[in-house]
Amino acid sequence: FVHILTNFVGVLTWLARLFCFLKSSQHRSLSLAGKWSLSNANGSVSLPAQVPGCVHSALQQQGFIQDPYFRFNDVSYRWIAFDNWTYTTTFNVSAQVRSVTKQKVLLAFDGVDTVASIWLNGVAVGNTDNMFRRYDFSVRDLLKDGDNVLRVRLLSPVLYASERREAHSAYRVPPECPPDVQKGECHVNFIRKEQSSFSWDWGPSFPTTGLWKGVRLEAFDVLLSQWRVQVELLVDAVQTTNGRISLSVPELHSEQSVHTHFLSGRTKNTFVLHINTSSRVKLWWPSGRGDQPFYQLTSLLQVYFRTVELIQEPVVGSPGLSFYFRINGKPIFLKGSNWIPAHSFQDQISPAVNLLQSAVDANMNTLRVWGGGVYEQDLFYSLCDELGIMIWQDFMFACAMYPTEDDFIQTVRDEVVQQLRRLKSHPSVIIWSGNNENEAALATDWFDIPASQRPRYVKDYVTLYVNNIRELVQEDQSRPFLVSSPTNGAESEREGWVAANPYDLHYGDTHFYSYTLDCWDWRNFPRTRFASEYGFQSWPSFSTLQPVSIKEDWSYSSNFSSHRQHHEGGNQQMLQQAASHFNLPNATDPLKRFTDTLYITQVMQAQCVKTQTEFYRRSQTEIIEGKGHTMATCVDAALIYFFVVVGLVCILNSCRLLPDFVGFGGKWKMLHYFAQNFFAPVLPVGFEDEDTLFIYAVSDLSHDLKLRVSVYSWTDLHPVCSLKSDPVLVPGGSAVAIFKQPVAALLAGCGRCTRLTCLLTFHLEDSGAQLGPTNHHFLCSPKDAQGLQRPNITATVQQDPTGLTVTLRSASVAPFVWLDVGNIPGRFSSNGFLMVSSNVTVSFTAWRPTSAAELSRSLTVTSLTDVY
């Protein structure tokens, strides 16, 4: 069925979220953000603390603890999460707020992390148990002249979760604890807070507590407490009364005023603004497929028009069903990354502008807000609206079973309703997903549940995600809902919501990881309908690690390196994968060997993900042995960052110092630079099958494209030979085979090439001009290449009116040329590239003032043979 945010044939269902109070005389708000005091249970620690904020941040800001990311501090500071903490503030309220004409005064908390009791002037006014909910408490009769004292008493999240687990004695709700390698805390599934805060395979254990969003008093007159215009107006009226609602989109010559009747209590009132049929509506498109026009409402609100459909229908030549999105009636190939929390401490997150712009600059059009983190801040979704980034929005459940007691279900229902109403106005949100990997966990028995007990867990699963979350999400008819990811979608539903094999390649979406199979061999990847999560680890650059470590840590075999790795055997797996195709670094100097090893893991990761992503992109219009029509590539971002340093290609932003896509602080890893190319709108993809070279033209656009292939010797910067194809029309949203030739015949035609002595580059052209990036194909592993030598690259940094540039000069072919400028924030126009010409110039965009001289002093250039 079709999910429509706004129907572009003439009816606008307005979902733009508008907080609007009737007039200043009818509503008053007093922010309680700012400086509070903070103390632990026995009073041995007392300090000032900012709100919004958390205990860890306050302790660090006041010098009680060091940087929590430094070395082993995630373990050293475990005590913080085992204590109870109290936030206290004193405030005065005006006579106007306390006046008898104010029928209601609310104490509003936008986010409490997590389990707390709220006390005003010594009286308990309520409790919280969900990090993802807003809480309102009526306090009019408790306010007094002079000082009012507000206390928020927070319980240890670790001990609370443990106590909830002990109270649930009828049967276990796995997993009990994370794997030992994660050094985390237990029973996170019993508390409604960021699941990854108790540890994850990509991040540390920092179970935060605090007031992580705003706190304020709100006073209302008799008409209404607050109203929102979306499609519906939500009203809390003290008494039955009349009102008038006006909606207008002047640019579309459309306006409407409605008189309505508000009943006493909380009600929902639905309104429809009819768009003038003579007005032509401009549509919102994903990045790379069009513009993101908006319409101004009378109060300068933005209104977007777009439709979204999740297409699950029979596929010609294949069993099963398709699985792809149609936006505004057109199939869209999703290219992106998973999004994890950008920091362990939410109050320390600056606006996500750089990270989101980094996604667009890497030709991504999609982010999957992963279910083990948090629902992101309003600005995140607004920026995605403006940038054309589609959002796959998980609800915050991941890799676990969950309890289904009445109080747990009720707080989840409140959470879902609030998040649904907050986010459904954003055109960027194209789908809701109930959880991350829980169907797969149950179906494939991650937790060793005896067969006789399995029906109990299936029942709990259906109770939580189908009977509750899905029921509530049906309020939103503007986008589809999936119970889980990965899932077989409609087939999972047919099988009672838990499929026998949720990884069936003929249905739904797939998560795939293999750390042992050769990642350069495309045959090792599943030809799935929709690749929603995959990736490989790598370490970050040394400049990212250095601030959180000391000299004795700078070894791949150090305790520090082992501590930072939260995936069992991960460090060795990275080396084993790299050793398949590269010589491992062997410098005698320990620091150089360490930095070279960091580099080679990034090379490995970038090349592995490139191979897998290109396989998925070229599979979008093919069915091979009943499988294919792949319509998404979503890389695991966590693998991009890795514990502040490590990191869709499943996780665009890593928030910890672990190995991964973007480094902590927004520094691009080699993989992110590769993504600029493998996500490009037009891309040539080369691969071999039975000693025959195929090159596909992959296009999001429609062009007559020619292919130009150049064959290089590893010893020479001049092509041995060049080939070109006849023009081929490549329709938008397709992958077309544009070149096919046995490798032996290709090399024989070049005269003096073998697999070991030569490599290929190729690009697409339109009307004689190159379109899209230049790609490469290695005919052998670089470790076996004959003639590959040190290129002795030199660099010249210059500044001109357009900015900073770096010109490189090389004496020979240089694979994986990597430029690093240490701690100077910014990024290059290209990096990690194959250099097959004597001169290459790249630009550098700095994120703070710098100079050519400073950049030159900090610049290091590394290529593959420099680490041998």
Side-chain angles (χ1 to χ4, degrees):
F1 52 93
V2 181
H3 300 268
I4 304 177
L5 180 65
T6 54
N7 186 312
F8 58 92
V9 297
V11 177
L12 164 63
T13 301
W14 186 45
L15 297 178
R17 186 171 58 90
L18 170 62
F19 285 100
C20 185
F21 303 105
L22 285 185
K23 289 184 180 178
S24 59
S25 62
Q26 295 169 323
H27 168 268
R28 291 191 179 275
S29 180
L30 173 66
S31 172
L32 300 180
K35 185 175 290 187
W36 291 44
S37 63
L38 175 66
S39 60
N40 65 342
N42 65 11
S44 60
V45 178
S46 182
L47 64 156
Q50 284 294 125
V51 171
C54 74
V55 172
H56 286 79
S57 294
L59 291 170
Q60 182 184 358
Q61 290 160 4
Q62 296 301 317
F64 282 78
I65 62 173
Q66 294 178 298
D67 181 353
Y69 287 145
F70 185 73
R71 301 195 77 214
F72 309 98
N73 281 347
D74 56 317
V75 173
S76 300
Y77 297 153
R78 283 186 69 196
W79 62 271
I80 297 171
F82 280 80
D83 210 338
N84 298 330
W85 296 86
T86 299
Y87 279 81
T88 304
T89 189
T90 301
F91 61 92
N92 287 285
V93 293
S94 67
Q96 289 174 306
V97 170
R98 291 182 286 104
S99 67
V100 294
T101 61
K102 303 298 178 189
Q103 298 298 307
K104 180 175 284 190
V105 179
L106 296 180
L107 178 59
F109 292 83
D110 288 328
V112 179
D113 182 12
T114 293
V115 182
S117 58
I118 314 298
W119 298 75
L120 179 61
N121 295 325
V123 178
V125 298
N127 300 290
T128 72
D129 64 1
N130 190 322
M131 178 181 181
F132 307 122
R133 282 183 52 190
R134 167 189 161 130
Y135 287 88
D136 296 329
F137 304 104
S138 182
V139 296
R140 179 179 178 274
D141 294 337
L142 295 178
L143 295 173
K144 61 181 184 180
D145 293 333
D147 290 343
N148 290 267
V149 179
L150 175 61
R151 286 190 173 87
V152 180
R153 296 173 178 169
L154 290 147
L155 298 180
S156 159
V158 177
L159 297 180
Y160 173 85
S162 179
E163 290 167 2
R164 292 286 296 190
R165 162 62 183 89
E166 290 302 315
H168 191 285
S169 57
Y171 58 96
R172 69 187 184 100
V173 183
E176 298 284 350
C177 299
D180 292 343
V181 70
Q182 293 183 19
K183 309 162 196 72
E185 307 299 348
C186 300
H187 312 304
V188 69
N189 47 341
F190 279 88
I191 183 171
R192 289 310 295 147
K193 74 185 270 67
E194 178 187 341
Q195 298 289 276
S196 58
S197 69
F198 275 41
S199 81
W200 215 261
D201 57 2
W202 50 260
S205 175
F206 288 118
T208 50
T209 55
L211 304 177
W212 72 294
K213 290 187 176 182
V215 183
R216 64 191 173 279
L217 281 177
E218 293 182 348
F220 304 94
D221 276 342
V222 295
L223 178 59
L224 50 95
S225 63
Q226 178 186 4
W227 57 276
R228 301 177 181 174
V229 179
Q230 298 173 320
V231 175
E232 60 269 359
L233 174 64
L234 306 176
V235 178
D236 188 357
V238 174
Q239 64 185 48
T240 299
T241 188
N242 295 318
R244 186 178 184 215
I245 305 300
S246 296
L247 303 174
S248 173
V249 182
E251 189 176 348
L252 295 177
H253 311 291
S254 305
E255 59 182 353
Q256 186 169 333
S257 294
V258 179
H259 290 275
T260 189
H261 189 65
F262 298 121
L263 299 176
S264 176
R266 288 182 179 268
T267 58
K268 181 173 72 174
N269 304 264
T270 301
F271 300 92
V272 176
L273 172 64
H274 296 276
I275 297 299
N276 191 319
T277 56
S278 64
S279 300
R280 183 176 178 180
V281 173
K282 294 176 286 187
L283 302 178
W284 178 95
W285 286 97
S287 176
R289 300 305 299 272
D291 297 325
Q292 296 80 44
F294 63 87
Y295 291 90
Q296 299 287 350
L297 267 71
T298 51
S299 31
L300 300 180
L301 294 176
Q302 297 175 349
V303 177
Y304 298 91
F305 294 81
R306 70 101 177 92
T307 66
V308 55
E309 304 165 76
L310 176 59
I311 306 302
Q312 300 182 79
E313 60 189 15
V315 178
V316 176
S318 172
L321 300 172
S322 65
F323 193 92
Y324 67 92
F325 287 91
R326 254 192 332 228
I327 307 294
N328 302 331
K330 293 187 178 294
I332 301 292
F333 190 99
L334 273 58
K335 304 178 296 186
S337 166
N338 283 283
W339 178 276
I340 59 173
H343 204 289
S344 288
F345 312 116
Q346 287 290 316
D347 58 289
Q348 295 187 36
I349 297 175
S350 57
V353 179
N354 276 351
L355 284 172
L356 292 175
Q357 188 62 53
S358 288
V360 172
D361 292 346
N363 291 306
M364 297 183 192
N365 63 13
T366 304
L367 293 172
R368 174 173 170 253
V369 178
W370 171 72
V374 300
Y375 306 96
E376 285 296 332
Q377 56 187 304
D378 291 344
L379 179 60
F380 173 92
Y381 297 96
S382 295
L383 289 171
C384 289
D385 292 344
E386 295 173 16
L387 293 170
I389 299 173
M390 293 175 285
I391 297 297
W392 174 305
Q393 179 65 57
D394 283 356
F395 287 98
M396 295 300 122
F397 301 87
C399 302
M401 302 295 99
Y402 288 86
T404 55
E405 283 87 352
D406 289 347
D407 59 344
F408 187 89
I409 291 293
Q410 186 55 55
T411 195
V412 167
R413 288 180 66 88
D414 292 340
E415 167 191 329
V416 169
V417 167
Q418 289 184 13
Q419 296 300 335
L420 185 71
R421 291 175 177 171
R422 180 173 75 98
L423 301 179
K424 71 178 183 178
S425 64
H426 292 280
S428 53
V429 179
I430 63 167
I431 189 170
W432 305 106
S433 175
N435 64 72
N436 172 76
E437 298 183 348
N438 295 349
E439 180 185 346
L442 188 52
T444 60
D445 198 21
W446 290 9
F447 306 125
D448 299 318
I449 297 171
S452 62
Q453 297 179 21
R454 189 171 181 272
R456 179 196 298 273
Y457 293 93
V458 172
K459 179 182 178 182
D460 283 356
Y461 181 91
V462 172
T463 295
L464 178 57
Y465 301 113
V466 180
N467 299 342
N468 284 282
I469 295 178
R470 180 175 178 268
E471 173 197 286
L472 294 170
V473 173
Q474 288 178 338
E475 170 188 314
D476 177 18
Q477 294 297 307
S478 69
R479 53 184 59 82
F481 172 78
L482 286 173
V483 172
S484 187
S485 175
T487 183
N488 291 345
E491 174 61 17
S492 288
E493 181 176 350
R494 189 187 70 80
E495 295 181 40
W497 304 103
V498 178
N501 174 22
Y503 295 102
D504 190 328
L505 300 182
H506 301 99
Y507 301 93
D509 67 316
T510 301
H511 296 187
F512 176 79
Y513 296 92
S514 173
Y515 304 107
T516 56
L517 298 174
D518 181 4
C519 69
W520 284 30
D521 186 349
W522 57 269
R523 297 169 189 83
N524 289 323
F525 305 128
R527 196 183 294 271
T528 176
R529 299 283 196 236
F530 195 100
S532 55
E533 187 176 318
Y534 62 94
F536 296 84
Q537 287 188 3
S538 80
W539 280 85
S541 300
F542 179 67
S543 59
T544 306
L545 285 170
Q546 188 175 9
V548 295
S549 59
I550 62 175
K551 186 175 181 180
E552 71 181 68
D553 301 329
W554 299 339
S555 163
Y556 201 75
S557 59
S558 69
N559 290 335
F560 172 81
S561 295
S562 175
H563 180 76
R564 277 310 209 250
Q565 175 57 262
H566 281 195
H567 170 66
E568 190 69 51
N571 287 346
Q572 280 308 114
Q573 289 171 351
M574 280 187 268
L575 294 185
Q576 290 165 2
Q577 190 66 253
S580 299
H581 297 285
F582 305 106
N583 295 316
L584 296 181
N586 57 7
T588 55
D589 177 70
L591 180 56
K592 185 177 190 310
R593 187 167 185 166
F594 182 55
T595 57
D596 288 350
T597 303
L598 301 181
Y599 163 84
I600 206 71
T601 68
Q602 287 208 36
V603 171
M604 176 276 298
Q605 179 196 42
Q607 190 71 19
C608 287
V609 173
K610 171 184 184 292
T611 303
Q612 190 168 0
T613 304
E614 290 180 349
F615 168 66
Y616 292 141
R617 290 199 70 189
R618 68 175 169 86
S619 298
Q620 64 183 284
T621 47
E622 281 189 337
I623 292 291
I624 307 292
E625 297 178 348
K627 292 172 286 203
H629 277 193
T630 307
M631 286 298 288
T633 58
C634 201
V635 185
D636 189 345
L639 301 178
I640 299 170
Y641 302 111
F642 201 112
F643 200 157
V644 168
V645 217
V646 196
L648 176 192
V649 170
C650 226
I651 303 168
L652 172 67
N653 49 308
S654 183
C655 67
R656 336 288 187 223
L657 275 177
L658 287 175
D660 266 30
F661 210 142
V662 174
F664 188 65
K667 185 172 185 174
W668 284 23
K669 298 177 75 176
M670 191 179 294
L671 172 56
H672 205 121
Y673 286 103
F674 270 46
Q676 280 184 299
N677 292 335
F678 62 60
F679 282 149
V682 175
L683 174 71
V685 175
F687 66 99
E688 291 184 48
D689 191 8
E690 297 182 350
D691 294 322
T692 296
L693 175 68
F694 294 83
I695 300 178
Y696 279 40
V698 181
S699 180
D700 296 338
L701 316 169
S702 288
H703 284 273
D704 282 317
L705 297 173
K706 271 189 206 176
L707 177 73
R708 185 175 294 275
V709 181
S710 297
V711 182
Y712 286 87
S713 163
W714 287 109
T715 62
D716 196 349
L717 289 169
H718 299 284
V720 176
C721 66
S722 295
L723 307 168
K724 63 180 180 179
S725 71
D726 294 328
V728 175
L729 174 62
V730 182
S734 70
V736 175
I738 198 171
F739 182 90
K740 176 184 178 182
Q741 189 172 4
V743 174
L746 173 63
L747 295 178
C750 282
R752 55 187 179 88
C753 268
T754 69
R755 280 187 172 276
L756 300 182
T757 61
C758 289
L759 70 151
L760 310 176
T761 68
F762 40 90
H763 65 263
L764 297 167
E765 296 179 351
D766 180 22
S767 302
Q770 180 169 339
L771 195 64
T774 298
N775 208 341
H776 63 262
H777 178 71
F778 297 137
L779 296 169
C780 67
S781 296
K783 69 177 182 180
D784 299 323
Q786 295 178 0
L788 182 59
Q789 53 195 304
R790 290 275 178 95
N792 299 316
I793 296 173
T794 60
T796 303
V797 181
Q798 293 180 304
Q799 186 159 19
D800 58 37
T802 63
L804 291 159
T805 61
V806 179
T807 299
L808 305 175
R809 292 173 176 81
S810 177
S812 64
V813 171
F816 307 108
V817 176
W818 181 248
L819 303 137
D820 192 290
V821 289
N823 294 319
I824 299 176
R827 71 169 184 261
F828 292 95
S829 56
S830 181
N831 210 347
F833 48 83
L834 172 68
M835 190 168 177
V836 291
S837 61
S838 57
N839 294 283
V840 170
T841 298
V842 298
S843 62
F844 180 76
T845 301
W847 296 336
R848 67 159 171 81
T850 187
S851 65
E854 182 187 21
L855 202 68
S856 183
R857 287 192 301 270
S858 300
L859 177 66
T860 59
V861 182
T862 305
S863 68
L864 187 60
T865 54
D866 294 325
V867 305
Y868 294 170

